[in-house]
Amino acid sequence: MIAPFSWLKEYVDIDVSAKELEEKLFGCGFEVEELKQLGKGVSNVVVGRVDSCEPVEGTHLFICQVDCGAYGSRQIVTGAPNVYAGMLTPAALDGATLPGGITIKAKPLHGIPSEGMLCSGEELGLNEDLFPGAETYGLLDLPKDAVPGEDIKPLTGLDEYIFDISVTANRPDCQSVFGIAREVAAVLNKPLKMPATDYHPSDFTYPGLKVTVEAPDLCPRYLAHGVRNITPGESPRWMKRRLALCGLRSISNVVDITNYVLLEIGQPMHAFDLDQLQNTEIIVRRAAEGETIQTLDEKEFKLTPDNLVICDGNRPVALAGIMGGLNSGITDNSRQLLFEAAKFARDSIRRTSRSLGQSSDSSARFEKGISEYTTELGMARALHLIEELGCGEVTASAFDESAGASREGKRFTARVSKINDILGIQVPTEEMIRILRSLQFDVTLEGEILDVTAPRYREDIEVGEPDLAEEIIREYGYDHVVPTFLAAAAVTGGGKTPDQLRQDKVKRAICAQGYSEVSTLAFYADEDLDTLRLPADAKERQVVRILNPITEKLSIMRPLLAPSLLKIVVENIKRGNAEGRIFELSNIYRPTEAGKLPEERLHLGLASFGPEEDFFAMKGSVEALGEAFGLHFEVERATDVSELHPGIAAWILCEGERIGVFGKLANEVTSSLKLHKDAKSHHNIFLGEIDYRKMMSHAAASFRYQPISVFPPVLRDLALTVKEEVTCGEMISEIRRACKQITDVELFDIYRGEQIGEGQKSMAFKLRFECEDHALQPEEVDKFVKKILGNLKYKLGADIR
């Protein structure tokens, strides 16, 4: 947010320097990204009076004797065509500096000694809006009351300071000069001067003019007011200058008013040329499918019902909250206008702006939020300026379409003791009340109960003590906060909790498999879920949405780790890193009941990529993780996971419960990533995700180590023929179920051929039998094997080969 120092002084009697104010703003929660002096780089430039001006024969040059006041008379040679005797103009003396790092030295010009340089407005970094005559070809002609020898900065306004303030997403009320002035008044404990908003409408009413809002959910409040007898012309110098200080050029008085209100009040304004409307009706509605509009910048857009438009009854004449239409904009011939000020839903404007790739100063403010109070104040200010500048007649045609917009600020009660408990210090009650009132809160005290009504423009305030505590401490001063223990805190010996130690063990186990830990943001966008082809009714589509996101690409809290890890994989492949393994142990977020905090669940995400990666490599990593906690994982084919290949994916089971899933990225998802075809490794991308809480619910709280059995294990090999569709996981699960003395099962061969038969395959397993209390005899093992074969025959139709 750009806020010129001189403009802030319009509303507050500021008695500190710009640098001091910067520090005070920072102290109350506003980061000043830059405090810039308009004339930075300009030094040793003073007012000079040209006492004599003699042309140099055969050249375009003039030899001038210039009175520089206390700096004496200097001979300066200039080639400016508009120089004349008696002219007052900027004189850069020897050693002077100009914008761009230019240094002026006294040196001969065409052999004629010159002790400096006479300057134009552009050479000082000025334009016509900042100072009249600055863009004239030649020297800057200063006012006749300028005093020779005076520093040029105060005279031309180059001593102006400009604050560039970073406004956080929760403070949309501060995205204007007046919004910042409210904070300045509070921090300096000074009265706030309101901008003039009075106006005197005539008796004239436009016959048949009508305003209708058909989408009140997207437009909670819409104000419109007719103005006629428009007389286009130049804006006054003070308005031009303030616009220029904020980076805008003056266009005409009426257009400048809309831009001025945007900067001053924070309310985006628009004006429709009534003569260009096809009828006398204004309708705020959703666009029809395929409807088009050409905006003021001559771009044409094809719209959908997700876009909000302003129509004249027959066609769109503005893209709501973003930009007006070319078919209704102000021209030099405009004589009657309908001014518009509205409150639009933030998410609607944000979606439209992103989907169409069209943004503006107006859309940036609507995306953060505009209060209905600001809408009201902005319209009144614009109509006042119409009268003040004498550029139109305010009519009696006024419209206020409101979808139940509140006309009062939020009212609630708060306890002084609770606020102090939150802050951990004792703030005097009188100081609390003073601070809140300086911030425009209406406060009364009964006992220790504060009856509070928030200002209408503070829609960010939630009912209760925490928000009031924040407002109080940022004005009272964070330096008052002293370190202290919480009420239930106790001094401990430190160290990690048992769960933290388990998490460390998980990380060590995964790192041992060649994985590197990554840390990603807890936010991404719906489009990241779209990449995984998640169906519309998938539970992962039920997400926690950010009310006021920094960007649309960080608009939801992640319900899965997979999209975050996939982004890292893709970025690595694009940068030429053809292989790798990464993991993340972080929270995912699931919505709960309305008004309650989301559920946070710790998940372990895995991703591997490269020409050597395959399904069994990740399966081995998962099994190694289980073994680290004494768990045995089984797998079953997963055919219903949208992002994974249905034939190369498996659910992870622990004691029959599904605790996670892993597999190869589906071909359709891989194709949509648009990786370079030369990067062959992008065909081998594997993802996995495990619910940490579910996994740990099966792990023992502690381990009890036992000595290795003194009795030797017995190994047997079994070669079995089964139908082609029977999986290895199913075979291993049934073998384990049939015999509790089995301690390990390993597949070591698969064979297909004519000897086996069509639709059949041979699978060879190595079985390990162990017993803790005696040595297994061959006849015992034969019984175990017989039982296993019977179970496999009954359950899976397997025969011994």
Side-chain angles (χ1 to χ4, degrees), residues 46-53 64-68 78 80-91 118-121 133 136-144 146 148:
V46 300
V47 176
R49 183 179 64 223
V50 180
D51 289 335
S52 66
C53 177
C64 302
Q65 298 301 321
V66 182
D67 178 8
C68 297
T78 181
N82 66 332
V83 66
Y84 63 90
M87 183 182 200
L88 289 160
T89 191
L118 302 182
C119 304
S120 69
T136 300
Y137 178 65
L139 303 179
L140 181 61
D141 201 346
L142 298 174
K144 297 306 178 185

Side-chain angles (χ1 to χ4, degrees), residues 18-34:
K19 187 63 181 175
E20 288 176 297
L21 182 59
E22 176 189 20
E23 294 171 357
K24 289 181 179 294
L25 285 171
F26 183 80
C28 66
F30 290 89
E31 179 186 356
V32 179
E33 294 186 342
E34 183 181 12

Side-chain angles (χ1 to χ4, degrees), residues 714-726:
V714 177
L715 303 179
R716 289 287 178 91
D717 291 349
L718 284 183
L720 304 157
T721 58
V722 292
K723 292 182 180 179
E724 186 67 50
E725 58 268 21
V726 176

Side-chain angles (χ1 to χ4, degrees), residues 414-420 429 444-451:
R415 289 171 295 165
V416 171
S417 59
K418 179 64 175 177
I419 293 173
N420 283 326
T429 304
T444 57
L445 177 67
E446 290 187 16
E448 75 142 8
I449 303 299
L450 296 173
D451 189 339

